[in-house]
Structures are given as C-alpha cells and as structure tokens.
Amino acid sequence: MPTLGNCSKRHNRAINSGHENSGLKPAVAGRGRRMSTDGNYSRRLNRWLNSRHNSGVNSGLKPAVLKLFRRKKSSKDTFSPDTLSNLFRFKYSCFKMLLDSNAKFLTVISDIEERLQGQEIFGMSYVRSRSDQAVFHTLRMVKNLDDLSGHRYTLLFDILEEINLKIKEVLGKRKEIPPTELILPYLQINAEMVDWVGGKNANLGEIHNRVYLPIPRGFAITTRAFESFMVRNELFDEISKKKVGIDPNNPETINTISEDIRQLITSAQVPAELEDAILLAYAKLAEDSGMRVSMRSSATGEDSELSYAGQYLSKLNVPSDQIIHAYKEIVASLYSPRAIAYRLNKGIRDEDVAMSVACLEMVESAASGVMYSRNPLNLLEENTIITAVWGLGPYAVDGVITPDSYTVGKNRQTIAAEISHKTVKLVSKPDEDLIEVPVADELQDKPCLSQEEIDILVTYALKLEEHYGCPQDIEWALDKKKRLFILQSRPLRVEDYGKGYPITPVLTAYPLLIEKGGTASAGVGFGPAFHVASDQDLLNFPDGAVLVARHSSPKFVMVMKKTRAIITDMGNIAGHMASLAREFAVPAIVNAKVATATIPAGMEVTVDAYSGRVYQGIVPELESFQNACECPMKDTPVYRVLREVSDWIIPLHLLDPKSPNFTPSFCRSLHDISRMVHEFSYTEMFQLSDFVSDKKGVAFKLKVSVPLDLYVIDLGGGMTETNVHLKSVPPDKIASIPFNALLRGIMHEDFQKSQLRPVEFKGFLSVMREQMLSPPSKAERFGDRSYAIISDKYLNFSSRVGYHYSILDSYCSQTPSMNYITFSFKGGAADDIRRNRRVRAIAIILQSLDFTVEVTGDRVDARYQKHEISLIEDKLDMIGRLLQFTRQMDMLMNNEASVEALAKNFLAGNYNLKSTVTTRESEVRG
C-alpha cells in the first residue's frame, strides 16, 4: 500500500494535471492550473489532500487516539470524555463533508441523465464541467472516508484515478495546435477556428469565405490575445480569489464581486505588442483615421454551442482612440452579473470560456433586424421570418421598438406583413455615441424593406441554412447605399423541433387579461404577478412568480430559474430575452402592450404562451400544456461525448453490500465508488457508536413508546444535557430541532394505541412465500437497530425495521436557503410487484406533501429544500408518521387499488390500517 505522503503527492499531481488532457479548448487550457473550476474545486482539493498529514493536529486529536481508527475496540480501552468527544467530532466533520459531496454527486448524475434524454441544449463546456464536478465530489468522498477510517481505504484513490484517466481520455481525443496570431483578418477565418476566434467570428469568416455572402470588413482579436492580456496582468488568480465570495443564492454578492472584477480588468494595461497589433489592423482597415468600428463579443462557446444571447458586451460606433479601452470593456463583460449568473445556472466553468472580439467596419444602417430561416415556433413551417426597424439593430433585439414582421414562403411570396408604428430609431453620429432620434413622420408607418430587399434576405437565409445544415438565427443590416450585410448567423435553438404546437381555445369561463401577445417561448405558466422595473426588483424576485415588465431585457436571465412565465408590453420573438427564455424553457409573451397596466402585482394569472393569452386566476384546463419542449440533441457530436463520458460516471454495478464483489477492485464507475463510500461511511460511524455506547455516554438508547430500537449519537447541542453514566434517555431530553419534529410524528398518538396490525391473509402468504423462495439477496433483511445522529440543527436518521430501510438527512435552521430534507425508503419482504406498489403509494403521499419524488424499483427518493423552518418541521413530522404507517404495508398491497387507497387514507389522517383495508376492499368490490 502506498505511503500517505506519496498518495497525497500523487493525487495532487493528478488534479493539477487534470486539464492537460481534459479536452479544454487550447486557447484556455494553459490557464487551467492557475484558475480553479467553478467552486474552486482543484485548489480546495489540493488543500484537503495536503492537510492529510495534519488531520490529527487540526482536529485536536492526539496520535494515540488516532490509533482508534485502525484497530478494533478492546474492553481495556479507557478514554476521557473530552478525548472521545474530539474523536467523534472529527469523524462527524469528515462524515458531514462526505454526505455533502454524496448529495452533490447524485445531483450531477441526475443532471447528466436529464441531458441524456436529449431534451435540453448543452455544449462541451457542460460536459467538461459536469465531469470535473463528478470526479471532484467522488474524490472528496474518498478522501473523507479515508480520514474517517484512519486511512484504511487508500486503494480507492487508485481506482478513482484510473476512472478519471478514462474520462480525460474521452474528453481529450480532439487535439489542436493553437495559433500564435493575436489578430486574424476574416479572409483567414473559417468555422473550424471557433476555439481561437469564438462563434461569431468563426461564423462571419465562414459566411464570407465559404458561403460567399457579404459581411462588413474587419478582423478578429483572438483568444490568444485574451490569454496574453489576462496572464500578463495576473488577472486569473485575482478573479479566482474574488469569486470565492459569490453566494449563488444571494444576487447581491454576484453584483458586488462582478463590479470588482470588471474594475480589475478595465484598469489593467494591455500588453504593448497586443495594442500595436490591434491598432495596426485598424489602420489597414480604415480608409481614414475617422472611420468608426463596431466591436462585438465573440466568446468561445458563444453561438456555436450555447446561446449567450446578450450576455456579453458589444460596442458600436467606436472611434480609433477608444478601441483599446472598448476591448477591455468587452473582456470585462465576461464577468457581468448576468454573465456570471448565466454560467452558474448552466454549469459552465470560467476555464471553458475565453473572449475573442470582432472588430468590424461600422455599418451606417438605414434599417436592420433579425431573420429566422424557419419559423422558430414550428420548424415544419418552411417559412422565413424577417423583423426590421429603422436605424441600428439594438432596437430590433432589445425590445425597445416593436419591429415590422414579414413571413415569407419558400416560393418568395410574402404570406404576411405586419407593419408597426415606429416612432424612434437608434443612430450613430460622427462625434457622438449612439443616440435615439425621432423617425420622420412619413416613415413611421412605412415598411422598412422593399420586396426586392425581402427577396435578397430570404435568399441569404436559405443559403445559410443549406450550408450549415440546420435552421439559422441571423442578424442583418441595410446601409444607406442599399447594400445588405450579414452581421451574424448561428444555429436556431428551437426546443420543439418537428412538432406542431397545440391549439388552445379561448376559455370563456376565465377573465381574459391579454387577448393576443407575441409568443417568444411556448408553454404555460401559473403564478402571482411580480412587476419588474429595476435591477432591485430582480434582486427581490420571489420563487414561482410571473414576471411582468414594460420592456423585455436579457437581464431577466437572473431570475429565469425562479419565474414561471414572462410577460412584457414591448419586444419581439427575435430579442435576446426571447432567446434566453426558450433556452431556459420559460413561457414568455412579448408585445402584450397593456400587461403592466392590466395585470396588478400579486394577481394570480395563467400565461398561455402558445396562444399569446393571459387569464386571471389559475386555469386547470391548461395544466396539460405545461410540459417543456424537446430539443434535438441526440446524435449530435457533443451528445455522443456526454454518452461516452457518462458510461464512466453513471452506471451502478455494486448493488448488494453483502455481495463478495462489494469491494474497491470491482468499482467500474464513479457511481460505484460513491455507493461504496457512502455505505462504508455509515459503517464507520456506527462502529464508533458501538465502541463508546456502553462506556462514555456518546450513544444512548432512546426510550420511546413505540417499538423502535433507536440509538442517539449527539454531535453537540442535540440534547439538553448529557449524563455519561446513563445508557438511555427520554425524548424530552432531545434538543435537536429536526429530530424533535421527526419524533412528534413517530410518537403520534394514533401509533401508540395498542392494536394488532391488520393483515390480509393472501398478502401474508405472498410475503412468506417470497421470503422462502427468493435468493438471499432478493429480500435483504436490514436488522432492527436504528440510529439518529443529531446536533441542534442537523439530523441523520437511519431506520432499519426488518426488511425495510429508510434514510433521512435534514438541516433545519432559521436560514431557509440552508434547509433541506432528503428521504429514501427501500426494501420489503414481499415480491417485486408489492414492493413497487408500496413505494408508489409512498411517492403519492410525498408528492402531496410537496416533495420532489423519484421512484426506481422498490426505492423511493424524495427531496424538500429551501423552505422556512416551520415548514421543514411540519414535513419531518409527517415523515415520522409515514415511517410508522408503512410497517407491514407490503401485506396490504394486494392489487392496484391499494396504492391510491393507502395514500388517500394517510393524507386524510386515517392511520388505522384496519379501516384502510376495509375501505380498499369496498372500493374493489365497487
């Protein structure tokens, strides 16, 4: 077995070298050792691994006490209560971190499995970040189990390292040599260079050089330049330090740290060679020094992988003396509040994003807009959608002006033309920034495009779709010389490819607040209206509300995980906000005109974003239309990479802890390691309780009035007093908030009445037959001892009653964001059908109690989190009752009617299973 020091050094090397073959884009791979991943995984892990030598010192344990980890209990062992308390607190600290990473690892698995359904959009940045998180949390679990056990599981490090190498091998198959150029003209750029110039630049080069369509003259400032700027100023390390203070649940911390980071970047000095290269490229482009340029963000991952609509800065009408400062501002926009929030929500690491910048000749637009080569709401409609406004493009995509809209068929015939009233436009002035000016009276209701210009744009759209092989989202501009330019083209991200949307009739039984708005993102949402008119309103936005605003804005991404739907008075389906809403699957209606005036704050509304209608109140008839749209991710290259990586993460081969194969050498996935570590961690904790329970008052038998062999281990603050001479304690000595709540349910008066449990004769025979005929592993008996590991706010409860096994983990405090309940129930002595019926009945009960529930075979897993302390206590009380209610339930699950009947009776407070059986028999006879 390797020494502790060698083990630590070897695993530090493995983590530090993790990016060399991880598949990181070459432009940013070099900084992987300087910048930690999201959550500072690598740096934190190195610190933990290096601290292994000092584990005993840090925990206050003496070397002699640490020997307890490595040997079995002896009857001659005597230790002071303080020594035992320190020892146990140290083990609990390891155990708690292990449980934390186990929960997060399972969340990663769940997230990957959702993506493997092919219904959500993701890119390679997602694959890398989730792979890193899975490895990190598995390694954190292994490290803490090894510490918990006194370093008896070092072999798991080797197994984990082998699997990690396999994952890196999958991610590192594509090898590329990065360019050395700081600047690249568009004549030298194509789509294969996306890693070096970002999605926008790569697409512009592709459009110009391979599709042969007109684009503005210009050049790209590469990601090599970005790397040079950031490294020369040592910005990566400084940014990493500042991001430690971000609390994803507190938007104010994102705003504060974002401002600090952007100030760091904009005040840094651009290297002289980079500044010279940029200005020289500009001089070659400009016919005179007065030419202005537009500078657009082109981050890696943007457009080509994920829709970063509006997340990064673009600067228009930039004079020559402001180009360098504008470059720094665009780089700094990588860390705007909404960009940071976007990456946090989408699981994108900073390492997977680098900033290239497009520097383009400023087009003095007479008109501009966005077009889709297919209808974004139904790709089976082979129509091109064009939107247009007078002046520059930002007003077309930012929702300031409702644009003209043209629907054109493949035969070039205009099917529909909706000409809006356009009172203002955005223009550039030679000696000023962009300004808003009135539209001439004679143009306010005039179409922005002639039929000839519409025909040309449709031709461009179809050529781009044919070249890229998929529908396109395109920005265009028409200059004052009547020349059309393509400014940007990217894949059209449509979640409902290949399906028509449902037709929802007008429901006259409900007051109609909005009769017709524009569908930006299809779907149905319910909730109370919350008006957003400022950034402060976004900070105060409540979970489950419907966002109502005057203008659409990409800033709304800050709350897209919270909101049920979005309604805006102005805007259009080509806007950035609309694109984000579709990506986050948030139903959204734009151009509703009177939403802020018609819908008061707090009113419950139903948003039907299929038809563009909003109703007052909750409309049950529309509930069936809430399903999220699908996305065609399957069979794409990135999907295949995720599939291959997931084969080393998700499969679970180690199912039975009693099997001789339940050993490290049989671990073939991260899930196997996680499963084994989690199982062994309970063993380690319980072994310690056995060691001290009969001597020093660390574990006590709880005297309860129900048949439950329950032992309590107090980690501090979980009991009102601890008398080391006692072997048992009454419930009134328990101070733990979550444990007291659970006990209230377990000791509910209905379960303390002396009564025989009802048993159906057929069900009893079925259970007995299954026990006699099934192999030993089929119906595992867990034993009868249960443990409650408690502190003042924490509870880990493991209940073993015969063939049933449940685990509950809960934190219950005055801070709602920290509160949670996780609950798992498994086992049973009956056949597979009865056990599955039982967990489905439990699932119905938990779902009715507002838990998120998953059922797999004879196991049910549930979660309830981020609620007020009173709600957490109420749910724990109900789970306590449920644990009592489920005893011998297998014998009652004789047919499908029993599932609903048992759930219905429990929720009605009828815990007498005898009357439950009678009720169910009546239902069956009926």
Side-chain angles (χ1 to χ4, degrees):
M1 191 67 66
T3 64
L4 179 61
N6 289 336
C7 182
S8 180
K9 291 176 182 178
R10 184 178 72 252
H11 293 292
N12 284 342
R13 287 198 302 271
I15 291 299
N16 286 331
S17 64
H19 294 301
E20 292 180 6
N21 297 310
S22 65
L24 283 178
K25 294 168 181 150
V28 291
R31 62 183 160 115
R33 300 176 189 177
R34 293 185 298 278
M35 288 194 70
S36 65
T37 58
D38 273 1
N40 303 294
Y41 295 143
S42 298
R43 181 162 53 81
R44 287 159 56 198
L45 190 58
N46 288 340
R47 185 165 67 247
W48 287 327
L49 289 171
N50 287 328
S51 70
R52 293 177 69 199
H53 299 285
N54 302 316
S55 295
V57 176
N58 295 337
S59 63
L61 300 179
K62 296 180 180 180
V65 179
L66 287 174
K67 293 179 181 178
L68 283 170
F69 289 100
R70 299 184 175 91
R71 60 189 177 88
K72 294 182 179 181
K73 164 192 168 185
S74 168
S75 60
K76 297 180 180 179
D77 290 332
T78 57
F79 301 98
S80 70
D82 286 344
T83 298
L84 290 172
S85 179
N86 287 337
L87 173 64
F88 199 82
R89 279 199 295 269
F90 171 71
K91 289 177 76 79
Y92 168 67
S93 176
C94 296
F95 183 56
K96 189 69 173 75
M97 285 190 287
L98 186 154
L99 292 177
D100 176 70
S101 269
N102 180 69
K104 290 175 179 175
F105 173 77
L106 294 177
T107 298
V108 171
I109 283 184
S110 175
D111 196 59
I112 292 175
E113 287 175 331
E114 286 183 13
R115 297 308 192 280
L116 288 174
Q117 296 298 315
Q119 298 174 342
E120 294 192 40
I121 299 167
F122 60 89
M124 278 302 301
S125 56
Y126 169 85
V127 180
R128 296 186 190 103
S129 66
R130 289 300 181 270
S131 299
D132 280 356
Q133 289 179 33
V135 171
F136 167 77
H137 284 297
T138 308
L139 184 47
R140 189 179 183 224
M141 291 180 70
V142 170
K143 195 268 180 185
N144 279 285
L145 176 66
D146 196 49
D147 286 346
L148 181 65
S149 66
H151 312 306
R152 290 190 284 108
Y153 293 98
T154 54
L155 178 59
L156 282 172
F157 285 104
D158 298 315
I159 304 299
L160 174 56
E161 188 170 346
E162 291 177 8
I163 295 174
N164 186 34
L165 289 173
K166 295 292 186 182
I167 292 173
K168 289 194 293 182
E169 181 181 342
V170 174
L171 295 175
K173 286 180 178 179
R174 182 180 177 185
K175 301 291 184 181
E176 294 186 6
I177 300 174
T180 58
E181 293 90 343
L182 302 174
I183 303 294
L184 285 172
Y186 283 114
L187 287 174
Q188 299 178 21
I189 295 173
N190 56 45
E192 284 72 41
M193 303 179 70
V194 65
D195 289 344
W196 322 123
V197 296
K200 284 180 183 176
N201 279 324
N203 280 327
L204 280 174
E206 185 79 2
I207 291 165
H208 182 266
N209 298 314
R210 293 180 176 173
V211 191
Y212 309 111
L213 297 181
I215 66 169
R217 296 183 302 148
F219 57 88
I221 306 173
T222 67
T223 54
R224 176 71 182 84
F226 167 79
E227 179 80 5
S228 173
F229 170 60
M230 298 292 281
V231 170
R232 190 72 61 86
N233 290 280
E234 299 181 343
L235 291 172
F236 289 134
D237 286 335
E238 290 301 315
I239 291 170
S240 180
K241 292 175 185 177
K242 289 186 177 296
K243 286 191 70 182
V244 171
I246 289 179
D247 178 1
N249 297 312
N250 183 356
E252 191 58 46
T253 65
I254 296 178
N255 289 341
T256 300
I257 291 170
S258 166
E259 185 176 353
D260 291 345
I261 292 174
R262 285 179 288 151
Q263 179 63 33
L264 269 178
I265 294 173
T266 55
S267 62
Q269 185 70 37
V270 173
E273 65 272 19
L274 174 56
E275 182 173 348
D276 290 344
I278 293 173
L279 295 180
L280 178 60
Y282 168 80
K284 291 179 179 179
L285 179 67
E287 297 176 356
D288 59 77
S289 59
M291 190 191 82
R292 297 196 170 211
V293 295
S294 66
M295 299 181 70
R296 293 171 172 261
S297 61
S298 183
T300 56
E302 184 174 8
D303 300 336
S304 58
E305 291 185 350
L306 290 172
S307 173
Y308 278 60
Q311 296 312 300
Y312 301 137
L313 181 67
S314 289
K315 302 281 287 185
L316 302 180
N317 207 36
V318 179
S320 59
D321 60 350
Q322 291 295 314
I323 289 176
I324 300 302
H325 183 69
Y327 172 71
K328 292 192 291 183
E329 287 185 300
I330 293 172
V331 170
S333 72
L334 271 174
Y335 299 96
S336 70
R338 65 178 187 256
I340 291 174
Y342 186 94
R343 291 199 292 273
L344 287 173
N345 284 332
K346 302 300 284 187
I348 302 170
R349 307 176 309 163
D350 285 347
E351 293 95 300
D352 294 328
V353 181
M355 182 63 79
S356 172
V357 175
C359 191
L360 298 158
E361 179 183 6
M362 185 71 187
V363 177
E364 295 293 333
S365 301
S368 54
V370 174
M371 64 176 168
Y372 296 136
S373 64
R374 301 274 188 105
N375 185 338
L377 296 181
N378 188 351
L379 295 187
L380 291 182
E381 281 187 14
E382 296 187 351
N383 299 328
T384 299
I385 309 296
I386 303 173
T387 64
V389 298
W390 294 121
L392 297 174
Y395 275 17
V397 297
D398 289 342
V400 177
I401 295 296
T402 298
D404 293 348
S405 178
Y406 307 89
T407 302
V408 185
K410 290 294 185 183
N411 58 2
R412 304 297 195 277
Q413 293 297 311
T414 300
I415 298 172
E418 298 180 8
I419 309 304
S420 67
H421 183 65
K422 304 171 288 293
T423 57
V424 295
K425 64 180 178 178
L426 188 68
V427 299
S428 62
K429 293 292 185 179
D431 300 321
E432 301 179 52
D433 291 329
L434 304 181
I435 60 171
E436 181 182 291
V437 299
V439 173
D441 291 343
E442 65 272 17
L443 296 179
Q444 289 185 3
D445 297 306
K446 184 178 179 179
C448 293
L449 295 172
S450 68
Q451 186 59 51
E452 181 182 0
E453 290 158 351
I454 292 172
D455 291 344
I456 294 172
L457 284 174
V458 171
T459 300
Y460 288 177
L462 297 180
K463 284 185 176 181
L464 288 167
E465 180 177 317
E466 181 182 6
H467 177 77
Y468 286 108
C470 64
Q472 294 292 295
D473 175 352
I474 306 156
E475 292 183 20
W476 60 269
L478 175 72
D479 72 4
K480 294 179 179 179
K481 296 180 180 179
K482 298 297 183 180
R483 295 179 300 180
L484 283 163
F485 295 94
I486 299 299
L487 305 180
Q488 174 175 279
S489 184
R490 61 188 177 191
L492 176 58
R493 302 299 189 189
V494 179
E495 296 82 355
D496 203 60
Y497 186 84
K499 293 183 179 179
Y501 281 94
I503 298 174
T504 56
V506 176
L507 302 171
T508 56
Y510 303 90
L512 189 61
L513 303 175
I514 302 295
E515 184 175 356
K516 183 61 179 177
T519 297
S521 177
V524 172
F526 305 86
F530 187 91
H531 285 223
V532 172
S534 66
D535 290 345
Q536 188 61 42
D537 291 334
L538 288 175
L539 295 178
N540 297 329
F541 195 88
D543 283 319
V546 171
L547 190 156
V548 180
R550 178 67 178 158
H551 298 281
S552 61
S553 169
K555 288 184 179 180
F556 296 168
V557 71
M558 299 282 288
V559 298
M560 283 187 180
K561 288 287 188 178
K562 293 183 175 182
T563 186
R564 296 291 180 84
I566 297 172
I567 316 166
T568 65
D569 289 345
M570 302 184 72
N572 68 92
I573 64 172
H576 290 318
M577 190 280 293
S579 178
L580 289 166
R582 288 192 291 272
E583 187 165 325
F584 279 84
V586 177
I589 293 175
V590 297
N591 198 27
K593 301 187 186 303
V594 296
T596 53
T598 305
I599 305 172
M603 174 182 283
E604 290 281 345
V605 296
T606 296
V607 179
D608 176 5
Y610 292 113
S611 65
R613 303 186 190 102
V614 179
Y615 296 93
Q616 180 178 343
I618 304 301
V619 181
E621 290 89 337
L622 293 175
E623 289 183 0
S624 62
F625 295 112
Q626 289 188 93
N627 295 334
C629 300
E630 297 180 0
C631 173
M633 284 301 299
K634 287 188 176 181
D635 299 324
T636 62
V638 66
Y639 180 89
R640 290 193 290 269
V641 173
L642 181 63
R643 176 73 272 172
E644 192 171 350
V645 166
S646 69
D647 288 341
W648 295 104
I649 297 175
I650 295 176
L652 183 60
H653 310 96
L654 304 184
L655 303 175
D656 182 8
K658 301 296 179 69
S659 169
N661 294 339
F662 201 85
T663 64
S665 59
F666 283 91
C667 289
R668 289 181 282 163
S669 69
L670 297 184
H671 202 171
D672 285 338
I673 296 176
S674 171
R675 171 75 173 88
M676 176 171 293
V677 169
H678 191 247
E679 185 71 25
F680 288 172
S681 68
Y682 279 98
T683 302
E684 293 295 331
M685 291 297 288
F686 297 152
Q687 283 179 346
L688 181 62
S689 69
D690 288 341
F691 181 86
V692 297
S693 62
D694 61 345
K695 291 204 170 193
K696 295 298 179 181
V698 176
F700 304 90
K701 181 175 174 59
L702 187 68
K703 295 186 293 186
V704 290
S705 55
V706 293
L708 191 64
D709 191 17
L710 176 57
Y711 287 80
V712 179
I713 301 172
D714 184 16
L715 304 173
M719 298 172 61
T720 56
E721 61 180 273
T722 302
N723 186 332
V724 298
H725 300 294
L726 296 178
K727 291 186 178 181
S728 62
V729 292
D732 60 10
K733 297 296 184 183
I734 300 299
S736 170
I737 296 172
F739 190 34
N740 268 325
L742 184 73
L743 287 176
R744 281 197 295 273
I746 290 176
M747 297 189 299
H748 189 276
E749 58 181 0
D750 285 0
F751 300 115
Q752 299 194 46
K753 300 172 183 177
S754 297
Q755 59 180 4
L756 293 175
R757 307 286 288 182
V759 175
E760 279 194 336
F761 186 65
K762 291 167 64 176
F764 175 75
L765 291 179
S766 174
V767 171
M768 294 301 296
R769 181 173 60 252
E770 185 69 16
Q771 291 184 52
M772 291 186 291
L773 298 180
S774 296
S777 62
K778 181 82 175 287
E780 177 185 358
R781 182 173 178 81
F782 296 108
D784 295 316
R785 175 169 288 193
S786 299
Y787 287 93
I789 303 172
I790 63 174
S791 69
D792 55 343
K793 301 171 184 176
Y794 174 72
L795 167 66
N796 184 269
F797 181 79
S798 302
S799 176
R800 296 167 170 84
V801 181
Y803 295 90
H804 296 164
Y805 181 37
S806 58
I807 300 175
L808 183 148
D809 196 68
S810 178
Y811 194 84
C812 189
S813 70
Q814 295 294 335
T815 306
S817 63
M818 296 180 64
N819 294 342
Y820 67 90
I821 302 171
T822 58
F823 177 65
S824 296
F825 190 100
K826 176 179 171 52
D831 56 67
D832 291 342
I833 295 176
R834 288 173 179 271
R835 296 206 303 271
N836 181 258
R837 286 173 183 160
R838 185 204 62 239
V839 296
R840 283 192 285 124
I842 295 173
I844 291 172
I845 292 169
L846 292 171
Q847 286 171 335
S848 299
L849 296 174
D850 298 322
F851 281 77
T852 300
V853 179
E854 291 184 5
V855 174
T856 305
D858 68 342
R859 178 189 178 99
V860 59
D861 296 288
R863 179 176 291 272
Y864 184 84
Q865 59 186 351
K866 297 183 180 179
H867 290 281
E868 299 290 337
I869 186 172
S870 59
L871 293 175
I872 295 289
E873 289 183 276
D874 288 344
K875 304 305 180 187
L876 288 169
D877 183 334
M878 296 304 293
I879 289 180
R881 303 183 197 189
L882 182 61
L883 289 172
Q884 293 289 75
F885 185 76
T886 54
R887 295 175 59 204
Q888 296 182 6
M889 186 186 283
D890 288 341
M891 301 182 186
L892 303 177
M893 313 305 291
N894 203 34
N895 53 49
E896 283 298 311
S898 61
V899 176
E900 291 285 348
L902 285 167
K904 179 179 178 181
N905 276 273
F906 178 87
L907 294 170
N910 174 22
Y911 306 132
N912 186 333
L913 287 179
K914 183 175 182 180
S915 60
T916 300
V917 172
T918 303
T919 300
R920 184 175 56 78
E921 288 175 344
S922 299
E923 292 176 353
V924 172
R925 286 194 298 269

